[in-house]
Amino acid sequence: MSVKSTVNARMEKLKGYLGEKGLKATSQRDRIADAFFRTTTHISLEELLKRVKRKNSSVGYATVYRTMKLLTESGLALERQFGDGQTRYENLPEDGHHDHIICIKCSMIVEFHNKKIEDLQAETAKKLGFKVLNHKLELYGYCRDCA
Ligand SMILES: [Zn+2]
Ligand SMILES: [Zn+2]
């Protein structure tokens, strides 16, 4: 899928969610959502605000915060805390779920997917009688350069 069609599909989903909630689209919210939907990494509110401000300087932190809260509630954004006190957001991956390994020295974040781990988690949850909706697995340590 091209970037444009991916962004458009995400905007359509957001419109649907806003409609369900009886919320109107606003141009500022659309711009913030558009900028976020184009990101391919884990972005903080400050970083996102910087990007949006390049095109529209009247957008403020509170609007970015509220928009990202809405996107998280709608399931379009995933909220991540990697232990440095900063909340970061990422788009739902097109290619499915992934987990993270984080360097506590240089803050490098690497995404990984391991089917064995995923299966083991599903099996464990099943044994405990849980229907799992989502999970986050984060490994912390030192990367090759920092070790
Ligand atoms: Zn996982
Ligand atoms: Zn490192």
Side-chain angles (χ1 to χ4, degrees):
M1 242 205 302
S2 73
V3 173
K4 193 160 180 280
S5 63
T6 304
V7 171
N8 285 346
R10 287 169 176 163
M11 286 304 279
E12 281 308 309
K13 268 191 208 160
L14 176 60
K15 254 187 222 160
Y17 180 76
L18 292 175
E20 275 170 34
K21 290 254 148 189
L23 294 167
K24 271 190 221 139
T26 70
S27 63
Q28 286 205 345
R29 186 155 57 208
D30 281 358
R31 266 193 212 105
I32 295 163
D34 183 83
F36 172 70
F37 290 151
R38 281 167 206 282
T39 64
T40 53
T41 169
H42 315 87
I43 193 165
S44 69
L45 290 175
E46 282 83 7
E47 287 159 354
L48 185 58
L49 179 63
K50 236 185 257 169
R51 279 191 202 198
V52 178
K53 266 186 175 294
R54 264 181 235 151
K55 285 182 189 158
N56 187 318
S57 58
S58 68
V59 173
Y61 186 85
T63 312
V64 175
Y65 174 80
R66 281 197 303 269
T67 301
M68 289 318 296
K69 206 167 168 245
L70 204 68
L71 290 183
T72 306
E73 283 164 12
S74 72
L76 280 158
L78 291 171
E79 205 182 274
R80 303 279 185 192
Q81 262 106 19
F82 292 120
D84 61 357
Q86 277 259 53
T87 302
R88 289 189 181 78
Y89 297 87
E90 73 177 299
N91 280 288
L92 280 195
E94 295 293 314
D95 52 352
H97 167 82
H98 62 251
D99 290 302
H100 297 93
I101 186 160
I102 300 119
C103 177
I104 57 172
K105 196 168 175 196
C106 72
S107 302
M108 178 170 75
I109 299 162
V110 178
E111 296 171 355
F112 70 90
H113 182 92
N114 183 313
K115 192 173 181 302
K116 260 191 202 166
I117 295 176
E118 297 299 326
D119 289 349
L120 204 55
Q121 287 178 138
E123 199 184 295
T124 306
K126 204 177 160 194
K127 268 188 206 153
L128 295 170
F130 270 74
K131 178 181 157 63
V132 174
L133 300 174
N134 195 8
H135 76 263
K136 295 178 191 178
L137 176 67
E138 285 155 18
L139 308 179
Y140 293 88
Y142 297 107
C143 72
R144 202 174 280 135
D145 293 339
C146 296

